[in-house]
Amino acid sequence: MEFICLKCKTKERIPHEVVEFLDETDLIGVDTSISPRFDCQNCSGKMVPIYYIGINGKIYEYKED
Ligand SMILES: [Zn+2]
């Protein structure tokens, strides 16, 4: 799965299992309108999935501004 940093636009591939694990862990008491995200290695930004269907069936799609 490809993730992109909202700040510096760096792209990184993250294994699907890792994202699903994070998604599952996040389900309890967390706003599901927010996609799983990671800290960017290059800056202080957040990395979001470019396209991801969550385990709850929700589609998260990154849109360029
Ligand atoms: Zn970044």
Side-chain angles (χ1 to χ4, degrees), residues 5-8 38-47:
C5 175
L6 294 172
K7 251 188 175 174
C8 67
F38 294 92
D39 292 326
C40 179
Q41 306 294 309
N42 298 322
C43 73
S44 56
K46 292 286 179 194
M47 304 196 82

Side-chain angles (χ1 to χ4, degrees), residues 2 4 11-13 15-16 18-19 23 28-29 32-33 35 38-39 45 47-48 51 53 55-56 58-60 63:
E2 249 188 333
I4 187 167
K11 286 181 185 173
E12 197 181 322
R13 299 192 77 85
H16 198 255
V18 175
V19 182
D23 199 0
I28 308 152
T32 52
S33 66
S35 61
F38 294 92
D39 292 326
M47 304 196 82
V48 299
Y51 186 82
I53 301 171
I55 51 171
N56 54 0
K58 189 166 170 58
I59 297 169
Y60 302 101
K63 287 186 185 71

